[in-house]
Amino acid sequence: MPDIIKLLPDSIANQIAAGEVIQRPASAVKELMENAVDAGATNIKLIIKDAGKTLIQVIDNGCGMSVIDARMSFEKHATSKIQTVDDLFAIQTLGFRGEALASIAAISQVEMKTKKIEEELGTHIIIEGSVLKEQNVIQTANGTSVSVKNLFYNVPARRNFLKSDSVETRHIIEEFIRIAMVNPGIELSMLHNGKTLFKLLISNFKQRIINLFGNQYNQRLVSVEQTTSDVCVYGFVGKPEYARKTRGEQFFFANKRFIKHAYLHHSVVAAFRELIPSDTFPLYFLFIHIDPKSIDVNIHPTKAEVNFQDNKMMYAILNSVVRKALGSHNITPSLDFEKDPAFDFSDPPKDKPIKTPTININPNYNPFNNTSQNTKTYTNFKNKNENWDTLYPEKIATSFNDINKIKPVSLTDDRGVLDINTKSTFIDNKVIQFRNQYIITSITSGILVVDQNRAHERILFEKYLNYLENNIQASQQELFPETLTFNPADYEIIKEIKDEMYQIGFRMEKFSKNSVVFTGRPADLEDLNIAESVDRMIENYRNNLSDLNQNKKTNLAKALALSAAVKKGKSLKNEEQNALLDKLFACNAPESNPDGQPVFKIIALDEIEKMFN
Ligand code: ADP
Ligand code: MG
């Protein structure tokens, strides 16, 4: 047998190593911006084209590099930030592994211009796929500009793996926000395809958060501060009433580094226990300062995870400071410090009357008139029969003989011509609601017990999927349009799913930066809490992004169904109970809800008989 082990050529080894550090455009943004912060910049500009796929440029006014350093910076394990192993345990900078520029240069076309303030001229370097193409002397501003073009141009498999522009942009915005939040002393801007997404002036922490997330955050935040001999914790937590169904506004920074830490997250959430519903997340922006010796940041290639020497102590401290902050907030609910009038136009003055919104109603409007093309209310019923359940809720009929067979039999071509005179199987039977949670009735083979919440989830899910797949757009105008403001990342999601939301029946107009006015809702969901269901759609969409089995439509139909369905505990009228059963068994898959949980059970006759033997 010949020997078979070979050393990989440098080019392949570099690409493999690069893959660990740079997974997508957002990773390059993070590394370049962190380098600018480490270089002591007070002004950093991020310029992006096509979600970073074509261009990522970071321009800073930091310390710049000498000719030799500029060339060296692209070498593997080349860093100015640590020299000895001991330094690893006293890290004050964001970078230290010396991998980022080498990795980026291995998988893109990089152009760097850099100049130290004390030097006359700067250095210009072009590197493509780790190969130096050009190096010369140029006139350039103090500081450094790095342009990364055509990321993954030489790793097609990786490039193909990138998500849509809006998804990649969202990741970039997330990284930008993380760096911006913890560096309010740095002026920052972000431009995407020529459009300014952020322009942030030097400010304090609270103003920076407000500038990133919107003015309304001024009212939402409670300050947190505690210094012990080992650690200093400060920042803000959200007032309990602003806890959201969507994750995404939870930020920990350890020594100015954004970190993910499930254990510490738990400690904050635990401090909110009993103040917020269990399925919501409090918002928090917490900065931890700790001796670099007590924290290991070298456990993850992208440094997103860290270990504290004393995790338990951190847990206890965080939990107690957050509790304390919430406690003082409860005693003095209007606690609002650092109030900057420039950012405070969210609450109207108390002595001014609030103007009630007015509405215009068209008395001649006929909701069943297809031809009017009125997009404002029940619109575009492509096929009236497809919406029969909306139009004739009390007359729905299915006729099947035995529920055990499940399939409805006499709905002509499933949902085609509906004989509204056919009597429901259930109408003659006694149907009862048990504990405001189950609908119970007798069927030939036993007793049918239906979970009302899951049943309605299934019904709505199939209905919205049908809307989405068949381009039915049934919408109902809001009497009082509701304006919701999103954080920039969520706003990107809204942009991604807006067409589908339109088809389900939502009508939205852009209000101002990151705000949307909801002028219409799905036609038959009078009681829908718009904020909650939109939150849930965002959350669901975000969580399922990587799950290829769940396409966008299924995803949204499911999210809306879950948030709009009648909950347990809701008392239903007898007709509603009947309608629920009828609609359920007209579904394609009545057995389970969209999460795959069983919707009904049958207590078989022979089981009942056994009980009495
Ligand atoms: P690390 O940040 O881990 O040291 P990088 O590959 O990101 O590794 O950068 C290598 C070196 O290049 C840094 O240690 C720093 O000395 C220098 N460098 C990179 N970017 C800049 C910048 N924007 N301004 C000044 N120096 C920089
Ligand atoms: Mg770096």
Side-chain angles (χ1 to χ4, degrees):
M1 275 284 275
D3 299 331
I4 51 172
I5 299 180
K6 289 198 180 67
L7 280 177
L8 285 173
D10 260 4
S11 57
I12 300 183
N14 285 347
Q15 284 187 8
I16 293 174
E20 272 203 0
V21 189
I22 309 295
Q23 285 121 17
R24 53 179 4 133
S27 343
V29 167
K30 168 178 189 279
E31 295 296 339
L32 295 178
M33 290 187 67
E34 288 190 348
N35 279 347
V37 172
D38 284 345
T42 54
N43 186 314
I44 303 174
K45 295 189 180 78
L46 169 65
I47 299 168
I48 301 289
K49 280 201 186 119
D50 305 322
K53 294 171 184 170
T54 313
L55 174 75
I56 298 162
Q57 184 177 14
V58 174
I59 306 170
D60 70 54
N61 65 352
C63 65
M65 281 174 268
S66 68
V67 193
I68 306 272
D69 283 351
R71 179 65 193 88
M72 269 299 281
S73 68
F74 290 102
E75 293 300 320
K76 258 183 290 179
H77 313 299
T79 180
S80 57
K81 298 170 194 174
I82 56 170
Q83 285 168 8
T84 66
V85 176
D86 290 343
D87 293 345
L88 255 187
F89 301 96
I91 285 169
Q92 307 280 356
T93 50
L94 294 168
F96 59 85
R97 295 167 60 116
E99 291 175 321
L101 287 182
S103 300
I104 292 171
I107 47 158
S108 70
Q109 298 154 338
V110 180
E111 179 175 12
M112 177 192 274
K113 293 177 188 168
T114 184
K115 182 174 107 57
K116 287 167 85 95
I117 189 165
E118 61 270 25
E119 284 169 7
E120 275 288 288
L121 290 167
T123 308
H124 179 218
I125 287 181
I126 296 182
I127 294 193
E128 290 184 17
S130 305
V131 180
L132 181 71
K133 294 279 170 175
E134 218 180 297
Q135 173 165 357
N136 42 43
V137 174
I138 52 157
Q139 277 201 316
T140 181
N142 292 331
T144 305
S145 155
V146 182
S147 302
V148 176
K149 292 172 196 162
N150 305 318
L151 195 69
F152 301 125
Y153 80 104
N154 53 355
V155 201
R158 254 275 147 77
R159 200 168 163 90
N160 294 338
F161 193 71
L162 293 179
K163 297 270 162 46
S164 70
D165 280 8
S166 47
V167 174
E168 295 300 341
T169 306
R170 196 151 43 71
H171 286 292
I172 292 174
I173 290 174
E174 258 165 30
E175 293 296 350
F176 180 91
I177 287 178
R178 290 168 184 175
I179 289 170
M181 191 176 298
V182 73
N183 290 293
I186 300 179
E187 198 174 331
L188 283 155
S189 62
M190 174 173 174
L191 232 80
H192 185 211
N193 292 337
K195 222 175 75 192
T196 303
L197 294 191
F198 292 98
K199 183 149 183 48
L200 305 166
L201 302 179
I202 291 173
S203 61
N204 62 23
F205 278 112
K206 193 177 188 194
Q207 280 169 13
R208 183 52 64 94
I209 292 170
I210 290 164
N211 289 348
L212 286 167
F213 287 97
N215 288 326
Q216 69 279 18
Y217 280 73
N218 196 22
Q219 311 300 319
R220 296 187 185 177
L221 305 177
V222 177
S223 119
V224 169
E225 195 167 355
Q226 181 83 49
T227 308
T228 72
S229 53
D230 301 305
V231 55
C232 162
V233 176
Y234 63 99
F236 303 93
V237 293
K239 294 178 185 169
E241 59 266 37
Y242 295 108
R244 295 180 71 191
K245 284 245 155 69
T246 318
R247 236 172 296 204
E249 293 179 342
Q250 290 76 37
F251 294 84
F252 277 126
F253 298 89
N255 293 352
K256 299 189 89 180
R257 186 190 301 283
F258 173 81
I259 55 163
K260 291 187 177 144
H261 207 293
Y263 186 61
L264 294 191
H265 172 74
H266 187 272
S267 111
V268 175
V269 173
F272 275 85
R273 200 172 289 145
E274 277 147 37
L275 295 175
I276 60 173
S278 61
D279 58 345
T280 61
F281 304 97
L283 56 110
Y284 59 79
F285 310 95
L286 292 169
F287 308 94
I288 300 164
H289 272 288
I290 191 163
D291 184 336
K293 284 197 202 72
S294 327
I295 178 174
D296 186 357
V297 291
N298 193 23
I299 55 168
H300 192 268
T302 66
K303 298 167 251 153
E305 285 164 29
V306 302
N307 259 344
F308 291 92
Q309 215 168 52
D310 194 343
N311 267 327
K312 287 216 173 91
M313 176 196 76
M314 282 308 309
Y315 188 100
I317 291 178
L318 272 178
N319 188 271
S320 100
V321 296
V322 174
R323 269 171 199 275
K324 199 171 104 191
L326 291 172
S328 58
H329 155 66
N330 281 344
I331 310 161
T332 47
S334 59
L335 181 86
D336 230 325
F337 49 95
E338 273 185 19
K339 207 157 193 168
D340 180 341
F343 293 99
D344 187 28
F345 21 77
S346 15
D347 258 6
K350 292 207 170 52
D351 46 348
K352 260 200 183 165
I354 298 170
K355 211 174 134 217
T356 329
T358 51
I359 48 164
N360 296 321
I361 293 171
N362 172 4
N364 300 320
Y365 175 66
N366 175 358
F368 303 115
N369 186 350
N370 283 343
T371 53
S372 71
Q373 286 294 319
N374 185 336
T375 51
K376 280 281 155 69
T377 137
Y378 295 91
T379 45
N380 303 345
F381 281 96
K382 201 179 73 185
N383 171 356
K384 205 151 112 186
N385 285 326
E386 281 177 301
N387 291 284
W388 51 269
D389 52 351
T390 330
L391 301 176
Y392 312 108
E394 70 289 7
K395 289 181 187 159
I396 299 153
T398 53
S399 67
F400 46 97
N401 305 319
D402 190 338
I403 195 116
N404 294 325
K405 291 188 194 131
I406 285 164
K407 279 278 157 225
V409 284
S410 77
L411 287 181
T412 318
D413 80 320
D414 260 5
R415 294 192 185 182
V417 187
L418 183 73
D419 176 6
I420 55 165
N421 296 315
T422 317
K423 277 217 156 182
S424 161
T425 319
F426 299 112
I427 288 193
D428 287 337
N429 287 358
K430 277 215 173 53
V431 174
I432 59 160
Q433 191 183 24
F434 176 59
R435 299 180 70 109
N436 287 346
Q437 187 173 354
Y438 302 102
I439 311 294
I440 298 178
T441 191
S442 77
I443 52 172
T444 336
S445 61
I447 294 174
L448 171 75
V449 184
V450 175
D451 180 311
Q452 68 184 43
N453 169 251
R454 291 181 189 175
H456 201 211
E457 286 172 353
R458 162 56 55 186
I459 294 163
L460 291 178
F461 172 68
E462 292 201 5
K463 173 165 149 172
Y464 292 118
L465 205 57
N466 179 34
Y467 281 10
L468 283 165
E469 278 163 359
N470 297 306
N471 202 22
I472 300 165
Q473 300 154 5
S475 180
Q476 178 183 356
Q477 187 180 10
E478 291 293 337
L479 292 184
F480 303 103
E482 189 171 344
T483 305
L484 298 182
T485 304
F486 301 95
N487 68 46
D490 285 356
Y491 188 69
E492 286 300 312
I493 294 189
I494 290 287
K495 287 204 295 200
E496 255 165 75
I497 59 178
K498 70 175 185 337
D499 292 348
E500 286 78 10
M501 286 179 70
Y502 185 91
Q503 279 186 18
I504 299 178
F506 286 100
R507 295 292 173 268
M508 302 179 278
E509 283 163 25
K510 191 175 155 79
F511 182 63
S512 62
K513 196 177 152 214
N514 299 342
S515 294
V516 172
V517 192
F518 284 80
T519 55
R521 64 171 58 207
D524 44 357
L525 294 180
E526 312 292 328
D527 297 334
L528 185 73
N529 177 331
I530 300 249
E532 193 211 300
S533 64
V534 172
D535 251 9
R536 198 188 266 257
M537 281 190 275
I538 293 174
E539 167 85 344
N540 217 45
Y541 185 67
R542 193 204 315 274
N543 290 344
N544 291 318
L545 271 182
S546 51
D547 186 350
L548 297 175
N549 297 324
Q550 281 227 12
N551 70 29
K552 214 166 167 184
K553 289 177 176 166
T554 317
N555 216 327
L556 288 179
K558 180 173 149 185
L560 184 59
L562 296 190
S563 68
V566 294
K567 303 287 178 294
K568 67 176 178 196
K570 171 130 168 81
S571 150
L572 299 177
K573 290 197 216 100
N574 204 255
E575 312 86 82
E576 292 174 320
Q577 298 167 19
N578 277 310
L580 192 82
L581 294 186
D582 283 337
K583 288 189 204 176
L584 174 66
F585 291 101
C587 283
N588 291 325
E591 326 61 52
S592 60
N593 76 349
D595 275 334
Q597 297 162 312
V599 169
F600 61 86
K601 296 276 180 196
I602 292 165
I603 306 170
L605 187 59
D606 53 354
E607 279 176 56
I608 298 171
E609 278 167 351
K610 259 188 236 150
M611 289 178 202
F612 297 94
N613 282 335

